[in-house]
Amino acid sequence: MNTTHEQHVQDLVSTLTDAVIRHDGTLDQIMGRYDLNDDDVANWLPIIDSLHNTLVEVQPRPAFKRQLRNELLKRPIGVRVRLRPLPTRVQLAAVLTIVGGFVLIVYNWFMGNMREVALNPDDEPAVLH
Amino acid sequence: MGLFGRKQKPLAKMSDNELIALAKADKEAFGELYERYVTKIYNYIYYRTGNQQDAEDLTARVFYRAMGHIENYVDKGVPFQAWLYRIAHNLVANFHRDHGRRKIIPLDDYVAHTLRSEAPDKQAEASDEQETLMKAIGRLPAERQQLILLKFIHQKSNAEIGEIMNRTEGAIKSLYHRTLIALRDEIQMQDMKNTMAKPDADSTARKHGRG
């Protein structure tokens, strides 16, 4: 269960974080506005500040954004369109798997036919006699 | 759409709910929603997966899924963006389950971005700190990572995070506090390990230097 003290610390941490994220003035102003003391700030500010400086927004590639938008607005129909948003290596693996599977089927079918020809029981008596 | 089809308001000025209602029949409306949220969703996934390729792949899947289900979307107190984040969260969870890993972001990308203006010695120091912090974040449970990203990258309030994570504002406040404690402890432990490892490394280096 939350004690009053814990709730106070939780409020303080959230308040301090909001102030840092929104650049809510200088540290002195923040401390004055939210009635913080030096110990509170010393306890929490370093980790909050590190997170704020480390986790920065990254921008997706403009080409990716553009391409995805175009594909979405075209409404995906069929395998080819569904394959396109996948990474190149995944597309390549998919194509290789399909080609490999096809080759395997043809190979098995061909070898099966060859075995039938080699072991045709009708031919054997003729060879033995 | 015809002469009377296009609404008086431009798409860019419409609210999410207006766009959703339109998007059920008008792809351009979905395009506007896409423009509003693609960068946010991409960031969320990028920091959770650790690389650009997976982030692009999963971002595409989020929007394909959203578009596929937009006809069924009803605002039952969950805003559209919260709905998107939930889709992203589920896809990232599946991704980690399938890959059996939880990666952290490659440092080169963001360190170069954040520290461009710093002096080289400060850059190296800050880069070490950031690396330690990112490793610590990477070791957090998924929901705590989600909270940290929503707070610092997307600058969401506790109430908004609560909507996305399906929790009360008070629960988010409490979870955030515990997450900061966990991160602080983890970093302190890492610092201690580094300090203990450093004298060994120094003595090894000296030994090799003499030899």
Side-chain angles (χ1 to χ4, degrees), chain A residues 50-117:
Chain A
S50 291
L51 283 164
H52 177 56
N53 291 328
T54 302
L55 298 171
V56 291
E57 188 175 87
V58 288
Q59 290 299 318
R61 288 183 305 116
F64 161 73
K65 263 177 78 172
R66 210 173 33 245
Q67 190 193 355
L68 179 58
R69 186 194 156 97
N70 290 341
E71 284 173 2
L72 282 166
L73 299 197
K74 261 189 253 161
R75 179 75 70 177
I77 301 160
V79 175
R80 201 171 141 246
V81 184
R82 253 179 253 160
L83 266 176
R84 241 184 293 154
L86 296 174
T88 318
R89 62 195 158 94
V90 179
Q91 287 185 34
L92 192 68
V95 169
L96 284 177
T97 307
I98 291 166
V99 172
F102 182 73
V103 168
L104 201 65
I105 289 166
V106 170
Y107 175 79
N108 279 344
W109 174 79
F110 182 74
M111 290 307 284
N113 276 356
M114 290 295 284
R115 230 174 281 136
E116 262 177 41
V117 170

Coordinates of all heavy atoms in Angstrom, one line a residue, chain A residues 50-117:
Chain A
S50 N 19.4 12.7 -17.5 CA 20.1 11.8 -18.4 C 19.1 11.2 -19.4 O 19.4 11.0 -20.6 CB 20.7 10.6 -17.7 OG 21.8 11.1 -16.9
L51 N 18.0 10.8 -18.9 CA 16.9 10.2 -19.8 C 16.5 11.2 -20.8 O 16.3 10.9 -22.0 CB 15.7 9.7 -18.9 CG 15.9 8.4 -18.2 CD1 14.8 8.3 -17.1 CD2 15.8 7.2 -19.1
H52 N 16.3 12.4 -20.4 CA 15.9 13.5 -21.3 C 16.9 13.7 -22.4 O 16.5 13.9 -23.6 CB 15.6 14.7 -20.5 CG 15.2 15.9 -21.3 ND1 14.1 15.9 -22.2 CD2 15.8 17.1 -21.5 CE1 14.0 17.0 -22.8 NE2 15.0 17.8 -22.4
N53 N 18.2 13.7 -22.0 CA 19.2 13.9 -23.0 C 19.5 12.7 -23.9 O 20.0 12.8 -25.0 CB 20.5 14.3 -22.3 CG 20.4 15.7 -21.7 OD1 19.7 16.5 -22.2 ND2 21.1 15.9 -20.6
T54 N 19.2 11.5 -23.4 CA 19.5 10.3 -24.2 C 18.4 9.9 -25.1 O 18.6 9.5 -26.3 CB 19.8 9.1 -23.2 OG1 20.8 9.5 -22.3 CG2 20.2 7.9 -23.9
L55 N 17.2 10.0 -24.6 CA 16.0 9.5 -25.5 C 15.5 10.7 -26.3 O 14.7 11.5 -25.9 CB 14.9 9.0 -24.6 CG 15.3 7.8 -23.8 CD1 14.2 7.4 -22.8 CD2 15.6 6.6 -24.7
V56 N 16.1 10.8 -27.5 CA 15.7 11.9 -28.4 C 14.9 11.3 -29.6 O 15.1 10.2 -29.9 CB 16.9 12.7 -28.9 CG1 17.6 13.5 -27.8 CG2 17.9 11.8 -29.6
E57 N 14.1 12.2 -30.1 CA 13.3 11.7 -31.3 C 14.1 11.4 -32.5 O 15.0 12.3 -32.8 CB 12.2 12.7 -31.6 CG 11.2 12.2 -32.6 CD 10.0 13.1 -32.9 OE1 10.2 14.0 -33.7 OE2 9.0 13.0 -32.2
V58 N 13.9 10.3 -33.2 CA 14.6 10.1 -34.4 C 13.6 10.2 -35.6 O 12.4 10.0 -35.4 CB 15.3 8.6 -34.4 CG1 16.5 8.6 -33.5 CG2 14.3 7.6 -34.1
Q59 N 14.1 10.5 -36.7 CA 13.2 10.7 -37.9 C 13.3 9.5 -38.8 O 14.4 9.0 -39.1 CB 13.6 11.9 -38.7 CG 13.3 13.2 -38.0 CD 11.9 13.4 -37.7 OE1 11.0 13.1 -38.6 NE2 11.5 13.9 -36.5
P60 N 12.2 8.9 -39.2 CA 12.2 7.8 -40.2 C 12.7 8.4 -41.5 O 12.6 9.6 -41.8 CB 10.8 7.4 -40.3 CG 10.0 8.5 -39.8 CD 10.8 9.3 -38.8
R61 N 13.3 7.5 -42.4 CA 13.8 7.9 -43.7 C 12.6 8.5 -44.5 O 11.5 7.8 -44.5 CB 14.4 6.7 -44.4 CG 15.7 6.2 -43.9 CD 16.2 5.1 -44.8 NE 15.3 4.0 -45.0 CZ 14.8 3.6 -46.1 NH1 15.1 4.2 -47.2 NH2 13.9 2.6 -46.2
P62 N 12.8 9.6 -45.1 CA 11.7 10.2 -45.9 C 11.2 9.2 -47.0 O 10.0 9.2 -47.3 CB 12.4 11.5 -46.5 CG 13.5 11.8 -45.6 CD 14.0 10.5 -45.1
A63 N 12.2 8.5 -47.6 CA 11.8 7.6 -48.7 C 10.9 6.5 -48.1 O 9.9 6.1 -48.8 CB 13.0 6.9 -49.3
F64 N 11.2 6.0 -46.9 CA 10.3 5.0 -46.3 C 8.9 5.5 -46.0 O 7.9 4.9 -46.3 CB 11.0 4.5 -45.0 CG 10.0 3.8 -44.0 CD1 9.6 2.5 -44.3 CD2 9.6 4.5 -42.9 CE1 8.7 1.9 -43.4 CE2 8.7 3.9 -42.1 CZ 8.2 2.6 -42.3
K65 N 8.9 6.7 -45.4 CA 7.6 7.4 -45.1 C 6.7 7.5 -46.4 O 5.6 7.2 -46.4 CB 7.8 8.7 -44.5 CG 7.8 8.8 -43.0 CD 8.1 10.2 -42.5 CE 6.9 11.1 -42.6 NZ 7.2 12.4 -41.9
R66 N 7.4 8.0 -47.4 CA 6.7 8.3 -48.7 C 6.2 6.9 -49.3 O 5.0 6.8 -49.7 CB 7.7 9.0 -49.7 CG 7.0 9.9 -50.6 CD 8.0 10.7 -51.4 NE 9.2 10.0 -51.8 CZ 10.4 10.4 -51.3 NH1 10.5 11.4 -50.5 NH2 11.5 9.7 -51.6
Q67 N 7.1 6.0 -49.3 CA 6.7 4.7 -50.0 C 5.6 4.0 -49.2 O 4.6 3.5 -49.8 CB 7.9 3.8 -50.0 CG 7.7 2.5 -50.8 CD 8.8 1.5 -50.6 OE1 9.8 1.7 -49.9 NE2 8.7 0.3 -51.2
L68 N 5.7 4.0 -47.9 CA 4.6 3.3 -47.1 C 3.3 4.0 -47.3 O 2.2 3.4 -47.4 CB 5.0 3.3 -45.6 CG 4.0 2.7 -44.6 CD1 3.7 1.2 -45.0 CD2 4.5 2.7 -43.2
R69 N 3.3 5.4 -47.3 CA 2.1 6.1 -47.5 C 1.4 5.7 -48.8 O 0.2 5.5 -48.9 CB 2.4 7.6 -47.4 CG 1.1 8.5 -47.5 CD 1.4 9.9 -47.8 NE 0.2 10.5 -48.4 CZ -0.7 11.2 -47.7 NH1 -0.5 11.4 -46.4 NH2 -1.7 11.7 -48.3
N70 N 2.3 5.7 -49.9 CA 1.8 5.4 -51.2 C 1.2 4.0 -51.2 O 0.1 3.8 -51.8 CB 2.9 5.5 -52.3 CG 3.3 6.9 -52.5 OD1 2.5 7.8 -52.2 ND2 4.5 7.1 -53.1
E71 N 1.8 3.0 -50.6 CA 1.3 1.7 -50.6 C 0.0 1.6 -49.8 O -0.9 0.8 -50.2 CB 2.4 0.7 -50.0 CG 3.5 0.5 -50.9 CD 4.6 -0.3 -50.3 OE1 4.6 -0.7 -49.1 OE2 5.6 -0.5 -51.0
L72 N 0.0 2.3 -48.7 CA -1.2 2.2 -47.8 C -2.4 2.8 -48.6 O -3.5 2.2 -48.6 CB -1.0 3.0 -46.5 CG -0.2 2.4 -45.5 CD1 0.2 3.4 -44.4 CD2 -1.0 1.2 -44.8
L73 N -2.2 3.9 -49.3 CA -3.3 4.5 -50.0 C -3.7 3.8 -51.2 O -4.8 4.0 -51.7 CB -3.0 6.0 -50.3 CG -2.7 6.9 -49.1 CD1 -2.8 8.3 -49.4 CD2 -3.6 6.6 -47.9
K74 N -2.9 2.9 -51.7 CA -3.2 2.1 -52.9 C -4.0 0.9 -52.5 O -4.6 0.2 -53.3 CB -2.0 1.6 -53.6 CG -1.6 2.5 -54.8 CD -0.5 1.8 -55.6 CE 0.8 2.6 -55.4 NZ 2.0 1.8 -55.7
R75 N -4.1 0.6 -51.1 CA -4.8 -0.6 -50.6 C -4.1 -1.9 -51.1 O -4.2 -2.2 -52.3 CB -6.3 -0.5 -51.0 CG -7.1 -1.7 -50.6 CD -7.5 -1.7 -49.1 NE -8.4 -0.6 -48.8 CZ -8.9 -0.5 -47.6 NH1 -8.6 -1.3 -46.6 NH2 -9.8 0.5 -47.3
P76 N -3.5 -2.7 -50.2 CA -2.8 -3.8 -50.6 C -3.6 -5.0 -51.1 O -4.6 -5.4 -50.5 CB -2.0 -4.2 -49.4 CG -2.8 -3.7 -48.3 CD -3.6 -2.5 -48.8
I77 N -3.4 -5.4 -52.3 CA -4.1 -6.6 -52.9 C -3.0 -7.5 -53.5 O -2.2 -7.0 -54.3 CB -5.1 -6.2 -54.0 CG1 -6.1 -5.2 -53.4 CG2 -5.8 -7.5 -54.5 CD1 -6.9 -4.5 -54.4
G78 N -3.0 -8.7 -53.2 CA -2.0 -9.7 -53.8 C -0.7 -9.8 -53.0 O -0.3 -8.9 -52.3
V79 N 0.0 -10.9 -53.4 CA 1.2 -11.2 -52.7 C 2.3 -10.2 -52.9 O 3.0 -9.8 -52.0 CB 1.7 -12.6 -53.1 CG1 3.1 -12.9 -52.5 CG2 0.7 -13.7 -52.7
R80 N 2.4 -9.7 -54.2 CA 3.5 -8.8 -54.5 C 3.5 -7.5 -53.7 O 4.5 -7.1 -53.1 CB 3.4 -8.4 -56.0 CG 4.7 -8.0 -56.6 CD 4.7 -7.8 -58.1 NE 5.4 -6.6 -58.4 CZ 4.9 -5.6 -59.0 NH1 3.6 -5.5 -59.2 NH2 5.6 -4.5 -59.3
V81 N 2.3 -7.0 -53.5 CA 2.1 -5.7 -52.7 C 2.4 -6.0 -51.2 O 3.0 -5.2 -50.5 CB 0.7 -5.1 -52.9 CG1 0.6 -3.8 -52.2 CG2 0.4 -4.9 -54.4
R82 N 2.0 -7.2 -50.8 CA 2.2 -7.5 -49.4 C 3.7 -7.8 -49.1 O 4.1 -7.5 -48.0 CB 1.4 -8.8 -49.0 CG 0.2 -8.5 -48.1 CD -0.6 -9.7 -47.8 NE -1.8 -9.7 -48.5 CZ -2.5 -10.8 -48.7 NH1 -2.1 -12.0 -48.3 NH2 -3.6 -10.8 -49.4
L83 N 4.4 -8.2 -50.1 CA 5.8 -8.5 -49.9 C 6.6 -7.2 -49.9 O 7.6 -7.1 -49.2 CB 6.4 -9.3 -51.1 CG 6.4 -10.8 -51.0 CD1 6.9 -11.4 -52.3 CD2 7.4 -11.2 -49.9
R84 N 6.1 -6.2 -50.6 CA 6.9 -4.9 -50.7 C 7.3 -4.2 -49.4 O 8.4 -3.8 -49.2 CB 6.2 -4.0 -51.7 CG 7.1 -3.7 -52.8 CD 6.6 -2.7 -53.8 NE 5.4 -3.2 -54.4 CZ 4.4 -2.4 -54.8 NH1 4.5 -1.1 -54.7 NH2 3.3 -2.9 -55.4
P85 N 6.4 -4.2 -48.4 CA 6.8 -3.5 -47.1 C 7.8 -4.3 -46.3 O 8.4 -3.8 -45.4 CB 5.5 -3.3 -46.4 CG 4.6 -4.3 -46.9 CD 5.0 -4.5 -48.3
L86 N 8.1 -5.6 -46.7 CA 9.0 -6.4 -45.9 C 10.5 -5.9 -46.3 O 10.7 -5.4 -47.4 CB 8.8 -7.8 -46.3 CG 7.5 -8.4 -45.9 CD1 7.4 -9.9 -46.4 CD2 7.3 -8.4 -44.4
P87 N 11.4 -6.1 -45.3 CA 12.8 -5.8 -45.6 C 13.3 -6.6 -46.8 O 12.9 -7.7 -47.0 CB 13.5 -6.1 -44.3 CG 12.5 -6.3 -43.3 CD 11.2 -6.6 -44.0
T88 N 14.4 -6.1 -47.4 CA 14.9 -6.8 -48.6 C 15.3 -8.2 -48.3 O 15.1 -9.1 -49.1 CB 16.1 -6.0 -49.1 OG1 15.8 -4.6 -49.0 CG2 16.5 -6.3 -50.6
R89 N 16.0 -8.4 -47.2 CA 16.5 -9.7 -46.9 C 15.4 -10.7 -46.7 O 15.5 -11.9 -47.1 CB 17.4 -9.7 -45.6 CG 16.8 -9.3 -44.4 CD 17.8 -8.9 -43.3 NE 17.2 -8.0 -42.3 CZ 16.6 -8.4 -41.2 NH1 16.6 -9.7 -40.9 NH2 16.1 -7.6 -40.3
V90 N 14.2 -10.2 -46.2 CA 13.1 -11.1 -46.0 C 12.5 -11.4 -47.3 O 12.1 -12.6 -47.6 CB 12.0 -10.4 -45.0 CG1 10.8 -11.3 -44.9 CG2 12.7 -10.1 -43.7
Q91 N 12.4 -10.4 -48.2 CA 11.9 -10.6 -49.5 C 12.7 -11.7 -50.3 O 12.2 -12.6 -50.9 CB 11.9 -9.3 -50.3 CG 10.8 -8.3 -49.9 CD 10.8 -7.1 -50.8 OE1 11.1 -7.2 -52.0 NE2 10.5 -5.9 -50.2
L92 N 14.0 -11.5 -50.1 CA 15.0 -12.4 -50.8 C 14.8 -13.8 -50.3 O 14.7 -14.8 -51.1 CB 16.4 -11.9 -50.6 CG 17.5 -12.6 -51.4 CD1 17.3 -12.2 -52.9 CD2 18.9 -12.2 -50.9
A93 N 14.7 -14.0 -49.0 CA 14.5 -15.3 -48.3 C 13.2 -15.9 -48.8 O 13.1 -17.1 -49.1 CB 14.5 -15.1 -46.8
A94 N 12.1 -15.1 -49.0 CA 10.8 -15.6 -49.4 C 11.0 -16.1 -50.9 O 10.5 -17.2 -51.2 CB 9.8 -14.5 -49.3
V95 N 11.6 -15.3 -51.7 CA 11.7 -15.7 -53.1 C 12.6 -17.0 -53.2 O 12.2 -18.0 -53.9 CB 12.4 -14.6 -53.9 CG1 12.8 -15.1 -55.3 CG2 11.4 -13.4 -54.1
L96 N 13.7 -17.1 -52.5 CA 14.6 -18.3 -52.5 C 13.8 -19.5 -52.0 O 14.0 -20.6 -52.5 CB 15.8 -18.0 -51.6 CG 16.9 -17.1 -52.2 CD1 18.0 -16.9 -51.3 CD2 17.4 -17.7 -53.5
T97 N 13.0 -19.3 -51.0 CA 12.2 -20.4 -50.4 C 11.3 -21.0 -51.5 O 11.1 -22.2 -51.7 CB 11.4 -20.0 -49.2 OG1 12.4 -19.4 -48.3 CG2 10.8 -21.2 -48.5
I98 N 10.6 -20.0 -52.2 CA 9.6 -20.5 -53.2 C 10.4 -21.2 -54.3 O 10.0 -22.3 -54.7 CB 8.9 -19.2 -53.7 CG1 7.9 -18.7 -52.6 CG2 8.1 -19.6 -55.0 CD1 7.4 -17.3 -52.9
V99 N 11.5 -20.6 -54.8 CA 12.2 -21.2 -55.9 C 12.8 -22.6 -55.5 O 12.7 -23.6 -56.2 CB 13.4 -20.3 -56.4 CG1 14.3 -21.0 -57.4 CG2 12.8 -19.0 -57.0
G100 N 13.4 -22.6 -54.3 CA 14.0 -23.8 -53.7 C 12.9 -24.9 -53.6 O 13.1 -26.1 -54.0
G101 N 11.7 -24.6 -53.1 CA 10.6 -25.5 -53.0 C 10.2 -26.1 -54.3 O 10.0 -27.3 -54.5
F102 N 10.1 -25.2 -55.3 CA 9.7 -25.6 -56.6 C 10.8 -26.6 -57.2 O 10.4 -27.6 -57.8 CB 9.6 -24.4 -57.5 CG 9.1 -24.7 -58.9 CD1 7.8 -25.1 -59.2 CD2 10.0 -24.6 -60.0 CE1 7.4 -25.4 -60.5 CE2 9.6 -24.9 -61.3 CZ 8.3 -25.3 -61.5
V103 N 12.1 -26.2 -57.1 CA 13.1 -27.1 -57.6 C 13.1 -28.5 -56.9 O 13.2 -29.5 -57.5 CB 14.5 -26.4 -57.3 CG1 15.7 -27.4 -57.6 CG2 14.7 -25.2 -58.2
L104 N 12.8 -28.5 -55.6 CA 12.8 -29.7 -54.8 C 11.6 -30.6 -55.3 O 11.8 -31.8 -55.5 CB 12.6 -29.4 -53.3 CG 13.0 -30.5 -52.4 CD1 14.5 -30.8 -52.4 CD2 12.5 -30.1 -50.9
I105 N 10.5 -30.0 -55.6 CA 9.3 -30.8 -56.1 C 9.6 -31.4 -57.4 O 9.4 -32.6 -57.7 CB 8.1 -29.9 -56.2 CG1 7.6 -29.5 -54.7 CG2 6.9 -30.5 -56.9 CD1 6.6 -28.4 -54.7
V106 N 10.2 -30.5 -58.3 CA 10.5 -31.0 -59.7 C 11.6 -32.2 -59.6 O 11.5 -33.2 -60.3 CB 11.0 -29.9 -60.6 CG1 11.6 -30.4 -61.9 CG2 9.9 -28.9 -60.8
Y107 N 12.6 -32.0 -58.7 CA 13.7 -33.0 -58.6 C 13.1 -34.3 -58.1 O 13.4 -35.4 -58.6 CB 14.7 -32.4 -57.6 CG 15.8 -33.4 -57.3 CD1 16.9 -33.6 -58.2 CD2 15.8 -34.1 -56.1 CE1 17.9 -34.5 -57.9 CE2 16.8 -35.0 -55.8 CZ 17.9 -35.1 -56.7 OH 18.9 -36.0 -56.4
N108 N 12.2 -34.2 -57.1 CA 11.6 -35.5 -56.5 C 10.8 -36.2 -57.6 O 10.8 -37.4 -57.7 CB 10.8 -35.1 -55.3 CG 11.6 -35.0 -54.1 OD1 12.8 -35.4 -54.1 ND2 11.1 -34.3 -53.1
W109 N 10.0 -35.4 -58.3 CA 9.2 -35.9 -59.3 C 10.0 -36.6 -60.4 O 9.8 -37.8 -60.8 CB 8.3 -34.8 -59.9 CG 7.5 -35.2 -61.1 CD1 6.3 -35.9 -61.1 CD2 7.8 -35.0 -62.5 NE1 5.8 -36.1 -62.3 CE2 6.7 -35.6 -63.2 CE3 8.9 -34.4 -63.2 CZ2 6.7 -35.5 -64.6 CZ3 8.8 -34.4 -64.6 CH2 7.8 -34.9 -65.3
F110 N 11.1 -36.0 -60.8 CA 12.0 -36.5 -61.8 C 12.7 -37.8 -61.3 O 12.7 -38.8 -62.0 CB 13.1 -35.4 -62.2 CG 14.0 -35.8 -63.3 CD1 13.6 -35.9 -64.6 CD2 15.3 -36.2 -63.0 CE1 14.5 -36.3 -65.6 CE2 16.2 -36.6 -64.0 CZ 15.8 -36.6 -65.3
M111 N 13.2 -37.7 -60.1 CA 13.9 -38.9 -59.5 C 12.9 -40.1 -59.4 O 13.3 -41.2 -59.6 CB 14.5 -38.6 -58.2 CG 15.7 -37.7 -58.3 SD 17.0 -38.2 -59.5 CE 17.8 -39.5 -58.5
G112 N 11.7 -39.8 -59.0 CA 10.7 -40.8 -58.8 C 10.4 -41.5 -60.2 O 10.4 -42.8 -60.2
N113 N 10.3 -40.7 -61.2 CA 10.1 -41.3 -62.6 C 11.3 -42.2 -63.0 O 11.1 -43.3 -63.5 CB 10.0 -40.2 -63.6 CG 8.5 -39.7 -63.6 OD1 7.7 -40.3 -62.9 ND2 8.3 -38.7 -64.4
M114 N 12.5 -41.7 -62.7 CA 13.7 -42.5 -63.0 C 13.8 -43.8 -62.3 O 14.1 -44.8 -62.9 CB 15.0 -41.7 -62.7 CG 15.2 -40.4 -63.5 SD 15.6 -40.8 -65.2 CE 17.2 -41.4 -65.1
R115 N 13.4 -43.8 -61.0 CA 13.4 -45.0 -60.3 C 12.4 -46.0 -60.8 O 12.6 -47.2 -60.9 CB 13.1 -44.7 -58.8 CG 14.1 -45.4 -57.8 CD 13.8 -44.9 -56.4 NE 14.4 -43.6 -56.2 CZ 13.7 -42.7 -55.5 NH1 12.5 -42.9 -55.1 NH2 14.3 -41.5 -55.3
E116 N 11.2 -45.5 -61.2 CA 10.2 -46.4 -61.8 C 10.7 -47.0 -63.1 O 10.5 -48.2 -63.3 CB 9.0 -45.5 -62.2 CG 7.9 -45.6 -61.1 CD 6.7 -44.7 -61.4 OE1 6.4 -44.7 -62.6 OE2 6.2 -44.0 -60.5
V117 N 11.5 -46.3 -63.9 CA 12.0 -46.8 -65.1 C 13.0 -47.9 -64.8 O 13.0 -49.0 -65.4 CB 12.6 -45.7 -66.0 CG1 13.4 -46.3 -67.1 CG2 11.6 -44.7 -66.5

